[in-house]
Amino acid sequence: MIQPGSWLGILGGGQLGRMFTQAAQSMGYRVAVLDPDPSSPGGRISDSHLMTEYDDLDGLKELARFSSAVTTEFENIPADSLRFLSDLLSVSPQAEAVEVAQDRIREKTFLDKHGFRVVPYAIFNDANDLASLPQNLVYPGLLKVSRFGYDGKGQILIKDFTELKAGFEKLGSVPCVFEQFLPLEAEVSVIVARDQMGDTAVFPVAENQHCNGILDLTIAPARVADPIVSEAKQIALSLGEVLQYEGVLCVEFFILSDGGLVINEIAPRPHNSGHFSMDACSVSQFEQQVRVTSGLPLIKPRQHTSAVMINLLGDLWENGEPPWGRVLNDDRVRLHLYGKDDARPGRKMGHLTIIDKNLDEALILSQQIKTVLGKK
Ligand code: AMP
């Protein structure tokens, strides 16, 4: 066990790295953040900020020299960097798991192979694959880049096969996955923490609503039937087992009209849809990440109040600072801003959590707040 007072390292200093850093620091750890961006939200509040690229071996060595263990906050970290570090100290999650989650083709293939239900898909590595179109493609569909897509970026709606070639070229002729566009009943996600001993702790299932491919609202607990809740948790735990995962893992699901669950994607880190845990649970997803990283026992999360999380995108800053006073005068509202200077449209600047014993009341207040903020 790595004692509080020791140093923990994290690759990536975005908002997830920042909230990890805050959780670790409040438990007495010191945190080294490796992120090339001098103004990264996590780097700014870290005890040491190493501003090197993620594949810079000197930077990685320096991080290892500082730290007793290392974790990561985003999936596009080169897996080789995690491998390099794991020869020097404890690293979670492991390179192999991150490698699966950072590449849609690998992810789908892995999930399929291990019997997890995914959206019907076809793989397009190059133009030759377009020439030999699979017969079973059902349109419309979404063509998604295999790597570096996020928040609905790097994907195009394809209405029929004549659009496929142009769509592939528009995405840069890089390896892609074609997914059937499914009518969704709802979207839910499950966050599970799994430690080196295989002990696990699952967060309540959360319901997610997206706007333009970006998470807009998370409602927790999810308003879905109990068997769906149990199944989603069971799938997330099984996946953790198959991956022999160490760390915090998010599994995002689509719920189909027949109640069936399919995995949309997985994230090898805390997730936007788990932010409600900071204000509504006995332990946050970030404290669990600290606990796995440092070998402390996991806590079984208990949700003590219903919650609605609203994402705050840069668009809200169009006319200056949003009217926080009109939002924070209700004691059920918690504001989290990530310390980003540049409020670009679509950029995640922070979130609000509305907590209320009664979920319906929390939902009503969240609608009122959206109106006050002028949020569409
Ligand atoms: P992604 O970045 O792949 O998670 O996509 C962002 C959002 O787009 C998802 O949360 C869904 O709301 C929607 N979406 C993505 N793929 C599909 C699909 N195959 N069918 C229906 N909706 C989808």
Side-chain angles (χ1 to χ4, degrees), residues 176-225:
C176 285
V177 167
F178 176 87
E179 279 181 17
Q180 188 180 337
F181 191 87
L182 298 174
L184 308 180
E185 198 63 24
E187 294 185 58
V188 294
S189 55
V190 181
I191 287 162
V192 56
R194 192 173 184 281
D195 69 14
Q196 288 79 358
M197 267 90 69
D199 287 337
T200 55
V202 194
F203 281 91
V205 176
E207 177 183 344
N208 300 316
Q209 294 179 359
H210 294 80
C211 193
N212 301 323
I214 306 179
L215 184 67
D216 179 41
L217 215 68
T218 294
I219 300 163
R223 298 165 300 170
V224 295

Side-chain angles (χ1 to χ4, degrees), residues 104 142 144 155 179-180 182 187 210 254 264-265:
R104 282 189 203 274
L142 282 167
K144 303 181 176 181
Q155 38 184 279
E179 279 181 17
Q180 188 180 337
L182 298 174
E187 294 185 58
H210 294 80
F254 293 152
N264 170 25
E265 57 184 5

